[in-house]
Amino acid sequence: MPRMKTSVEAAIELGGLVKTYPGGASPAVAGVDLVVGRGSFFGLLGPNGAGKTTLVSMMCGLLAPDAGRVRIAGLDLAASPDEVKGRIGVVPQDLAVYPSLTPAENLEYFGSMMGLGGSRLGGRVDECLRIARLGPYAQKRAETLSGGLKRRLSLVIGLIHEPEILILDEPTVGIDPQSRLFIFDSLKAMNAAGMTIVYTSHYMEEVECLCRDIAIIDQGRIIAHGGLAEILAASGAGTVEIRAQCAPSEALLRRLGEIDGIRQVSCEGSIIRAASAQPTAAMCEMIRLMEEAGAGILSVSHGVSNLEALFISLTGRGLRE
Amino acid sequence: MASNLNKLIASVKKETRHLLRDREAFLLLFVMPLIFVLIISMAMRDTFREQGGVVLPVVIIDNDRDVVGPAVIEAFSSIKAFRVETAVEGNGTTEEDIKADVTAGRHKFAVIIPRGATAGANSAVQRQLRFVRGVDAAQVKVRLIADPQLRSDMRSLAAVSTGRVLQAIENRVLWERFAALAGMKITPEREKEIREILASNRPFAEVVAEDAAARAEQGDLPKPTSVQQSVPAWSLFAVFFLVIPLSVTFIKERQAGCLQRLRSMPVPVWVIMLGKAVPFFIVNQLQLILMLLAGMYIVPLLGGDRLEIGDAPVAIAMVSVAVSFAAVSYGLAVAAYCKTTEQATTFGGASIIIFGALGGIMVPKFIMPPVMQRLAVVSPMSWGLDGYLDIFVRHGSVRDILQEVAGLLVFAAAAGLIAVLRLRRTTR
C-alpha cells in the first residue's frame, strides 16, 4: 500500500490508485497520487481514454480500485462508503434524470435516496428549484424540458443534500451558452461559499476560467498538477512557431530539439512548432540553427501558451479513442 | 434500516409513477393478456373436449326413412362419446352442404344412411336365416364423412362405433325374426317387453379413446378443460412477459445515468432492485386476478366453459405470489446481464417463449411425449402451471402445491441473487 500524505485540509486524497479493466492491455489508472484541497475548484483534464472517468468513478465509489486508497473529507472510502457518499454530490455526464417525473419529483426522489425526509426534504427541493430557476417548470415532466433546463436539474440533484464536495463530469455538454454561463455562475458561488468542486471537462477555456487547481491525466497518470500559472510555467508552456520555405530535414529537427530549454519540437509540413519555458530565447536559437542549415524562414511567431496549448503539448496531437 | 425502508418506499413510489404515467403501455399490460386468454380459451375449446373424453358432435342424415335411420340415431345418442346435434332428412340437404358443415367444424363427422338401408338389413337377415354363405355386407354403404382436422384415433372411434351400431341393428332384426319363427304370440304386453329388451340391445361395450402415454405418466388424474388449461397457462405467460418492460425500464435507467447516480449515493443494491420489483409484482398480481376473473365470468359468456378454481384460495395466492417472484427476479437478472434494450427484448422474449413451450403453456404437457414432459422441469412456468392445475383440476390444497411453490421460490432466489451480484459488480 503506497504511503499517502494526509492533510486535514484535504477534501480528496488519492494514494497509489490503480485500476485495470478485465482484458485491458494496460491499466486505465496507473498509480495516481493526488490531493485536492478543501474549498478548491479543481479541474481534471485529459484526452479521451486517459483514465479521467475511471479516476472520477473511483472517487465517487462507483468503481473499486485494484490497489491504492481513496479518502474523502478525511474518511476512507473503502471503510465507510455510505458516509463518504453522503458527503459528495455527483453530477454525471449523462443527464441522469427520470424523464417521466417532474423536476420536483426527481429532486424529491434523489433527496430521499440521500436520506432526507419530511420538511427538510421539502425545503431542499424548493431551494434547489430556486437555485436552478426551475420553479415555473417544477410540475412539468422532465422529458418536456429543454436540454439546458435538464442540465440545470441534473446539477441541482447533485446538490440536494448539500454536499461538501461536488464532482461534475462534463456538466455543460450539449447546452446553450446562457445555460453554460448560468452553471458557471452557480458553481463559482457555491465554491465561494466553501464547497469543494471537482470539474472534469474537455473544454479548456471552462477549466481555465473556473479552476484554480488543475491536473492533467494521460495514459492513467497525472502528468501535470498545480495552479494554472504554476503548471504553465513548469511545463515550458511558451510556444514558438516558424514557417519555413520547405519541410525541414530530420537532422535539423533533431538539432532544434536539442536546444537548451526546448521541451518538445513537432513538425507539420513546413511549419515547425516548439514548446519552451523561455520562448524568446528558444526562438532566437531556432532561427540561428535554421539559417545555418540553409532553411529559408517565411514567418516567425512566439508567445506564452494557454491551457489548450499546454494540453496539446503534453498529450500530443494524435487522435485518441 | 428505517432509512433504507424510507428509500425503498420512495423507490416504489417513483417506479409506480413511472408505470402509471405511460397509460397506454400500462393498460396494454392487462388488456393484451386478457384478449390472449379469451382467444386461446375459445380457440382450444374443442381440442380439449376431444382430449378430455368429452363428446364429438355428429350429424346423421337419414335417407332411408325406415327402421335403420331412427335406430342409428337412437344408438348414437346413447353413446357417451357422441352428441347427435341434428338429425336431418335427406331432402333439401345436399351432400355438399353436409361436407361444408363438417369441414367448417360444426360437426366432427356425418353419418349418411343410404336409401334402402332397412331393406338391405332385412335382406341380410333373410340370407343368414337361410344359411346362405357370403352375405355381402357391402350392399348397404353407410358413409362416414369426417372433419379433416379430426384426429385419426377419433376418426377410428367414429368408424368402429358406427360399425357396432349397424351390427346391433342387424342383431335386433335377426332377433325379431327368430321370435317370429319360434311362433311366439306377440301380445301388446309381449311387444312392449320385446321393445324394452331391444332397446337395451346396445353395443356390448362402449368404446372410449384414451392416450396411453399420458395416462401412464400422470396416473389417472383428470385432464383440464380448455379454460382450465388456457387461463392459468397464458396468465403465466403474461406474468413472465413483464420481464421485457421491467428489464427495458431498468436498462434505460442505466443508460440515462440514473443508476450510476444512485450508486454514487448511499443506497443498497437491494433497495434499487426491490424498488423496481415491487410495483411490477403488484401489476403481476392484478394481471392474475383479472385473468382468473375473465376465465370465471367472461369465457362462459362467449360460449366456453367456466373456469373452476377449486376450493383452495390460499393455495392459489401462494402459487400466484411465487410465480410473480420468479418472473420479477428473472426480469431483474435479464436487466442486469443485458447491455441494451434490444438485447433484453430479444433474449427476454425468446427465453420466455422457450419457457412457455417447455412448460406446457403452448402445448399442454399431458399430450407431450414423456421425454418432453420430463424436460418441462427446467421451466418455472411449468411449476406454476402444475400448481394451478393441482388446485383447479385436481382440487388440491396448500399441501399439494408446496413442491411447485418451493421450486418457484428457489428459482426466484437464484435469479435475484444473480441480478444483485451482477449489479454490484458492474457498478463498483
Side-chain angles (χ1 to χ4, degrees):
Chain A
M1 180 69 67
R3 289 186 63 135
M4 189 160 64
K5 190 166 69 179
T6 58
S7 164
V8 289
E9 293 304 316
I12 300 171
E13 299 167 80
L14 310 179
L17 272 193
V18 177
K19 180 71 188 180
T20 306
Y21 290 108
S26 54
V29 169
V32 165
D33 296 292
L34 186 69
V35 176
V36 177
R38 276 183 202 268
S40 172
F41 204 133
F42 174 78
L44 181 64
L45 291 171
N48 289 337
K52 200 166 64 249
T53 302
T54 304
L55 190 62
V56 168
S57 297
M58 288 193 284
M59 280 183 205
C60 302
L62 292 170
L63 203 58
D66 297 337
R69 59 197 288 208
V70 179
R71 289 179 74 84
I72 305 283
L75 296 165
D76 190 298
L77 177 59
S80 318
D82 285 353
E83 204 172 336
V84 167
K85 286 176 179 180
R87 296 191 182 204
I88 60 171
V90 178
V91 181
Q93 186 178 344
D94 297 316
L95 289 168
V97 299
Y98 289 98
S100 60
L101 303 187
T102 66
E105 288 166 349
N106 267 290
L107 285 163
E108 186 188 307
Y109 171 63
F110 284 111
S112 301
M113 293 297 104
M114 290 305 303
L116 305 183
S119 59
R120 184 168 176 230
L121 175 61
R124 283 303 301 159
V125 169
D126 292 341
E127 177 65 7
C128 287
L129 289 171
R130 189 193 62 74
I131 291 170
R133 296 186 199 162
L134 284 169
Y137 311 99
Q139 301 308 324
K140 295 189 173 187
R141 289 193 198 178
E143 63 199 352
T144 65
L145 303 181
S146 69
L149 290 173
K150 286 179 194 164
R151 272 285 165 206
R152 277 148 59 182
L153 173 60
S154 177
L155 173 67
V156 289
I157 287 172
L159 299 171
I160 186 74
H161 58 299
E162 299 180 276
E164 291 173 37
I165 300 162
L166 185 64
I167 300 173
L168 305 105
D169 190 6
E170 304 191 31
T172 57
V173 171
I175 59 169
D176 59 35
Q178 286 80 5
S179 294
R180 179 182 294 190
L181 282 175
F182 175 82
I183 289 175
F184 288 175
D185 291 343
S186 304
L187 293 176
K188 281 177 184 169
M190 285 182 255
N191 182 241
M195 184 183 285
T196 304
I197 296 178
V198 175
Y199 191 96
T200 75
S201 178
H202 281 122
Y203 300 120
M204 303 297 155
E205 73 280 7
E206 285 185 1
V207 175
E208 221 166 343
C209 156
L210 292 170
C211 303
R212 295 191 303 277
D213 189 17
I214 296 168
I216 298 176
I217 184 171
D218 195 21
Q219 295 179 342
R221 294 177 192 282
I222 301 291
I223 54 176
H225 180 207
L228 178 62
E230 190 185 345
I231 60 170
L232 284 175
S235 305
T239 57
V240 178
E241 185 175 296
I242 299 176
R243 184 182 294 270
Q245 282 177 334
C246 57
S249 65
E250 285 294 320
L252 175 59
L253 282 176
R254 200 162 43 247
R255 288 188 66 192
L256 292 174
E258 288 165 358
I259 295 171
D260 201 26
I262 285 189
R263 213 179 49 77
Q264 190 186 31
V265 173
S266 63
C267 179
E268 195 176 320
S270 60
I271 299 171
I272 303 163
R273 293 190 185 88
S276 170
Q278 297 90 33
T280 310
M283 181 186 67
C284 295
E285 188 61 16
M286 285 173 74
I287 290 170
R288 189 183 67 75
L289 287 175
M290 287 180 73
E291 282 178 344
E292 272 181 20
I297 295 172
L298 295 178
S299 66
V300 177
S301 64
H302 75 95
V304 175
S305 181
N306 58 15
L307 188 57
E308 183 159 351
L310 170 65
F311 183 84
I312 295 293
S313 122
L314 289 174
T315 59
R317 301 180 75 85
L319 287 173
R320 300 301 180 94
E321 293 171 1
Chain B
M1 193 61 200
S3 169
N4 284 337
L5 192 61
N6 289 335
K7 290 175 186 176
L8 177 60
I9 292 167
S11 295
V12 170
K13 199 169 155 188
K14 180 266 295 178
E15 197 61 39
T16 307
R17 276 176 171 154
H18 175 73
L19 267 173
L20 293 177
R21 284 187 183 167
D22 191 349
R23 283 179 197 155
E24 292 80 6
F26 186 72
L27 277 177
L28 283 177
L29 290 176
F30 297 95
V31 173
M32 290 307 288
L34 179 63
I35 292 172
F36 212 51
V37 161
L38 293 178
I39 291 173
I40 298 290
S41 294
M42 298 310 295
M44 300 290 283
R45 185 185 61 182
D46 290 350
T47 305
F48 275 80
R49 282 181 174 169
E50 287 174 23
Q51 286 294 335
V54 193
V55 292
L56 292 176
V58 53
V59 58
I60 299 171
I61 291 81
D62 180 13
N63 293 330
D64 176 49
R65 288 182 236 167
D66 199 339
V67 175
V68 171
V72 168
I73 292 166
E74 185 189 346
F76 266 98
S77 300
S78 69
I79 300 175
K80 287 180 185 172
F82 304 110
R83 184 173 65 239
V84 181
E85 289 197 341
T86 45
V88 293
E89 297 287 326
N91 285 348
T93 304
T94 67
E95 190 172 318
E96 292 306 313
D97 294 336
I98 295 160
K99 282 183 177 172
D101 194 38
V102 172
T103 306
R106 283 186 286 276
H107 297 101
K108 287 300 174 187
F109 64 92
V111 179
I112 302 176
I113 301 161
R115 286 179 198 281
T118 302
N122 285 330
S123 168
V125 168
Q126 289 288 1
R127 288 164 73 96
Q128 286 180 63
L129 288 174
R130 290 176 200 146
F131 302 102
V132 176
R133 288 181 178 275
V135 172
D136 185 5
Q139 281 178 343
V140 176
K141 291 189 191 296
V142 173
R143 295 170 62 206
L144 195 73
I145 299 173
D147 179 352
Q149 294 182 350
L150 189 66
R151 281 173 23 199
S152 59
D153 55 342
M154 291 294 154
R155 206 178 288 230
S156 301
L157 173 66
V160 169
S161 299
T162 307
R164 286 200 172 279
V165 165
L166 294 171
Q167 184 65 55
I169 291 167
E170 189 178 332
N171 288 346
R172 175 173 161 178
V173 174
L174 189 62
W175 199 91
E176 283 174 337
R177 294 284 177 186
F178 270 130
L181 285 173
M184 291 172 68
K185 191 177 178 186
I186 308 296
T187 61
E189 291 76 22
R190 178 56 61 90
E191 187 177 350
K192 188 182 173 194
E193 190 181 345
I194 290 171
R195 285 189 182 283
E196 284 172 359
I197 293 168
L198 290 175
S200 67
N201 187 17
R202 290 173 181 156
F204 71 93
E206 182 185 350
V207 179
V208 179
E210 67 176 59
D211 186 333
R215 291 187 79 83
E217 284 298 312
Q218 302 201 342
D220 280 339
L221 298 172
K223 296 184 178 76
T225 62
S226 165
V227 76
Q228 281 173 319
Q229 162 74 22
S230 299
V231 171
W234 293 101
S235 300
L236 282 166
F237 196 72
V239 163
F240 270 83
F241 222 77
L242 271 194
V243 164
I244 293 177
L246 193 159
S247 56
V248 166
T249 312
F250 200 90
I251 291 167
K252 278 187 177 170
E253 205 168 309
R254 190 166 62 208
Q255 288 173 338
C258 293
L259 208 54
Q260 189 190 22
R261 196 194 280 272
L262 282 174
R263 296 295 291 137
S264 73
M265 296 177 164
V267 185
V269 169
W270 67 263
V271 167
I272 299 173
M273 301 291 243
L274 268 186
K276 198 154 280 296
V278 169
F280 279 95
F281 171 81
I282 293 169
V283 168
N284 271 174
Q285 297 307 306
L286 293 176
Q287 279 181 320
L288 286 167
I289 291 169
L290 182 68
M291 300 305 131
L292 295 186
L293 290 175
M296 292 167 71
Y297 299 109
I298 300 179
V299 173
L301 295 178
L302 301 175
D305 299 320
R306 185 179 191 275
L307 174 67
E308 298 298 335
I309 61 167
D311 44 12
V314 175
I316 296 174
M318 285 172 68
V319 174
S320 302
V321 166
V323 160
S324 187
F325 279 168
V328 170
S329 295
Y330 182 62
L332 292 172
V334 169
Y337 271 88
C338 291
K339 291 188 175 73
T340 62
T341 54
E342 289 79 8
Q343 275 184 16
T345 310
T346 309
F347 175 77
S351 59
I352 293 161
I353 290 169
I354 291 168
F355 279 155
L358 285 174
I361 304 299
M362 292 157 189
V363 179
K365 277 200 290 184
F366 62 79
I367 61 169
M368 286 182 182
V371 66
M372 291 304 292
Q373 292 189 16
R374 282 194 290 273
L375 206 57
V377 75
V378 302
S379 167
M381 286 191 210
S382 166
W383 309 332
L385 187 57
D386 282 350
Y388 282 125
L389 292 181
D390 279 345
I391 303 163
F392 297 169
V393 182
R394 293 152 201 156
H395 296 283
S397 63
V398 168
R399 184 185 295 178
D400 298 309
I401 49 95
L402 286 179
Q403 194 178 340
E404 286 92 351
V405 168
L408 287 163
L409 292 179
V410 168
F411 178 87
L417 186 66
I418 287 169
V420 168
L421 292 177
R422 175 71 176 181
L423 192 64
R424 273 193 180 156
R425 201 163 75 85
T426 51
T427 55
R428 284 206 65 218

